[in-house]
């Protein structure tokens, strides 16, 4: 099998059940995330928060890379396992797999370098080794998006697939076409697609207006420059966005971005969960179009609902487990952030 991404790691589990040997050939390696994060919590509920989004904006890239790579290497050493990539963590989309390192260490999957050439019955790799193969799967992913129904009409979509905020083609006389989900969020795809859909419907109905063509093209150009500066020159990264930042960007267009300052004054309990808790779609149902009366309660009970399916065995404790008070955690987090900035600038 050639190269690594989320869907291919799922295919590995199917192949090892019916194959003597499974070889994984990769050109550049990959950073492997696991879906279960610290304390057994889902990774997106821990990492994709507004608090972490703020830290990401202020912390230097090299520090974030170092932290993330050390964190992932603590689970298993990517170098020892043959997966160490040629790029830093933030430069390219990482791969989710809870099973891949287990299959590698048990010998059910063997990591190989890039393929140099094929013979009738085998593959010769760049390190000179040769392996006899029965089946080869080219898991190279999508190289480009194709929209044959547009008949290559440049007045609708140009050769660079220019879309305002990855949704609206800027050249249309009227905004009658929107692309949903044509992006690569560092986080969940479905919530971003939902917000895109809410925005598109309001534009179609005339409730929201798009900027001028020049204004949209200027926004597109700035985003491209940012992507070229931060990520690899790879098709998977041309539509890459940070989850919380992009959700807030589209929410601002609709008028549903939560007002944290107001919430901290009038509903500090909810504000705390919005800022430090997972950025879920409920946050964009608190106000504005599509407001939902149950959004506040849904946000405040998220953790309970995450844990509830796991409570299939009732445990009795003589005393509740010790936990650090929230106010103390907050002070420590702020002090750590300030100390880091002092070290960097000093």
């Amino acid at each position: 099998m050639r190269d690594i991404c989320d869907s291919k790691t799922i295919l590995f589990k199917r192949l090892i059940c019916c194959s003597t040997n499974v070889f994984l050939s990769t050109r550049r390696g990959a950073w492997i995330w696991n879906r279960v994060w610290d304390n057994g919590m889902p990774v997106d509920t821990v990492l994709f928060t507004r608090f972490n989004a703020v830290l990401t904006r202020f912390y230097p890239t090299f520090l974030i890379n170092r932290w993330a790579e050390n964190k992932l290497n603590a689970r298993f050493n990517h170098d020892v396992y043959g997966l160490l990539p040629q790029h830093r963590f933030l430069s390219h989309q990482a791969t989710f797999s809870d099973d891949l390192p287990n299959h590698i260490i048990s010998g059910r999957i063997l990591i190989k370098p890039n393929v140099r050439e094929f013979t009738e019955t085998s593959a010769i790799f760049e390190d000179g080794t040769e392996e006899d193969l029965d089946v080869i799967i080219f898991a190279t992913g999508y190289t480009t998006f194709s929209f044959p129904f547009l008949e290559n009409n440049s007045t609708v979509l140009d050769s660079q697939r220019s879309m305002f905020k990855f949704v609206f083609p800027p050249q249309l006389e009227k905004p009658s076409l929107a692309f949903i989900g044509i992006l690569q969020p560092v986080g969940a795809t479905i919530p971003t697609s939902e917000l895109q859909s809410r925005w598109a419907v309001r534009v179609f109905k005339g409730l929201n207006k798009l900027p001028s063509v020049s204004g949209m093209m200027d926004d597109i150009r700035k985003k491209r420059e940012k992507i070229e500066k931060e990520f690899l020159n790879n098709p998977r990264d041309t539509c890459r966005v940070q989850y919380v930042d992009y959700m807030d960007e589209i929410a601002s267009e609709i008028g549903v971005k939560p007002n944290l300052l107001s919430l901290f004054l009038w509903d500090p309990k909810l504000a705390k969960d919005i800022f430090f808790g997972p950025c879920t779609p409920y946050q964009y149902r608190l106000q504005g179009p599509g407001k939902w009366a149950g959004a506040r309660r849904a946000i405040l009970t998220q953790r309970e609902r995450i844990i509830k399916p796991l409570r299939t065995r009732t445990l009795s404790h003589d005393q509740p487990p010790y936990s650090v008070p929230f106010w103390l955690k907050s002070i420590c987090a702020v002090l750590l952030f300030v100390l880091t900035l002092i070290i960097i600038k000093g």
Side-chain angles (χ1 to χ4, degrees):
M1 180 175 289
R2 297 283 314 277
D3 253 318
I4 307 174
C5 80
D6 298 343
S7 58
K8 292 135 198 173
T9 59
I10 297 173
L11 185 56
F12 297 151
K13 293 189 289 186
R14 306 290 183 268
L15 292 175
I16 62 176
C17 296
C18 56
S19 306
T20 304
N21 290 314
V22 175
F23 300 97
L24 170 59
S25 166
T26 175
R27 288 170 294 182
R28 63 164 61 97
W31 292 108
I32 308 297
W33 294 61
N34 51 309
R35 292 176 176 84
V36 181
W37 205 246
D38 294 347
N39 301 311
M41 299 300 290
V43 63
D44 53 343
T45 66
V46 179
L47 294 185
F48 303 133
T49 68
R50 294 181 182 279
F51 174 70
N52 287 337
V54 171
L55 291 184
T56 301
R57 281 196 288 271
F58 286 98
Y59 265 48
T61 301
F62 79 91
L63 275 183
I64 300 174
N65 278 323
R66 184 181 301 171
W67 173 85
E69 292 163 9
N70 288 341
K71 186 76 173 177
L72 298 183
N73 276 323
R75 182 187 175 216
F76 72 92
N77 190 307
H78 285 59
D79 187 16
V80 172
Y81 278 60
L83 292 171
L84 185 67
Q86 302 168 3
H87 57 269
R88 300 304 301 271
F89 174 76
L90 290 177
S91 299
H92 187 54
Q93 190 80 358
T95 298
F96 277 102
S97 178
D98 296 289
D99 301 314
L100 181 58
N102 298 331
H103 294 324
I104 294 173
I105 198 170
S106 62
R108 287 176 288 183
I109 291 179
L110 304 176
I111 304 297
K112 304 292 288 185
N114 196 27
V115 175
R116 189 175 69 198
E117 62 178 299
F118 291 107
T119 68
E120 290 185 358
T121 59
S122 67
I124 302 175
F125 300 94
E126 290 184 344
D127 61 357
T129 58
E130 182 175 359
E131 300 289 350
D132 291 328
L133 305 173
D134 296 315
V135 177
I136 300 172
I137 301 175
F138 288 90
T140 54
Y142 296 102
T143 56
T144 185
F145 293 110
S146 177
F147 307 106
F149 53 87
L150 295 179
E151 299 178 347
N152 296 321
N153 190 339
S154 60
T155 61
V156 178
L157 200 63
D158 61 25
S159 59
Q160 293 182 295
R161 307 289 192 266
S162 300
M163 301 178 199
F164 178 57
K165 300 190 185 300
F166 303 104
V167 178
F168 289 102
Q171 305 290 351
L172 285 180
E173 183 178 348
K174 294 182 178 180
S176 57
L177 176 66
F179 293 87
I180 306 300
I182 309 296
L183 77 170
Q184 187 81 43
V186 184
T189 302
I190 300 303
T192 56
S193 299
E194 183 211 3
L195 265 185
Q196 287 179 330
S197 301
R198 291 172 64 185
W199 181 34
V201 169
R202 291 185 60 79
V203 171
F204 292 158
K205 294 175 69 174
L207 299 174
N208 282 99
K209 301 295 183 182
L210 297 179
S212 64
V213 174
S214 60
M216 288 189 283
M217 291 304 298
D218 185 55
D219 182 83
I220 292 169
R221 186 183 69 257
K222 289 178 180 177
K223 279 185 169 56
R224 281 189 181 142
E225 291 173 353
K226 186 174 185 294
I227 288 172
E228 290 172 0
K229 180 181 178 181
E230 295 180 358
F231 306 133
L232 295 179
N233 182 17
N234 184 282
R236 288 185 68 190
D237 293 311
T238 56
C239 300
R240 190 175 177 189
V241 296
Q242 297 298 329
Y243 174 74
V244 177
D245 294 342
Y246 184 77
M247 292 281 280
D248 279 353
E249 185 177 356
I250 302 301
S252 296
E253 296 290 333
I254 307 171
V256 295
K257 179 182 175 181
N259 188 331
L260 276 176
L261 179 59
S262 175
L263 287 173
F264 271 118
L265 293 174
W266 302 107
D267 195 344
K269 183 178 180 181
L270 178 61
K272 172 182 76 75
D273 278 22
I274 289 177
F275 188 68
F276 291 100
C279 182
T280 49
Y282 305 126
Q283 297 187 9
Y284 305 101
R285 295 289 183 178
L286 290 167
Q287 63 186 44
K291 179 181 178 180
W292 176 45
R296 181 182 185 276
R297 184 175 183 276
I299 294 170
L300 295 177
T301 57
Q302 284 177 134
R303 179 175 172 78
E304 297 172 18
R305 286 180 283 111
I306 292 171
I307 294 176
K308 186 174 181 179
L310 308 176
R311 298 284 189 170
T312 55
R313 177 187 173 215
T314 303
L315 300 176
S316 59
H317 299 279
D318 295 333
Q319 59 181 18
Y322 173 77
S323 61
V324 179
F326 172 75
W327 63 268
L328 184 56
K329 291 181 181 178
S330 302
I331 292 175
C332 291
V334 172
L335 289 176
L336 178 62
F337 178 62
V338 173
L339 180 61
T340 305
L341 292 180
I342 293 173
I343 293 173
I344 293 168
K345 292 182 178 180

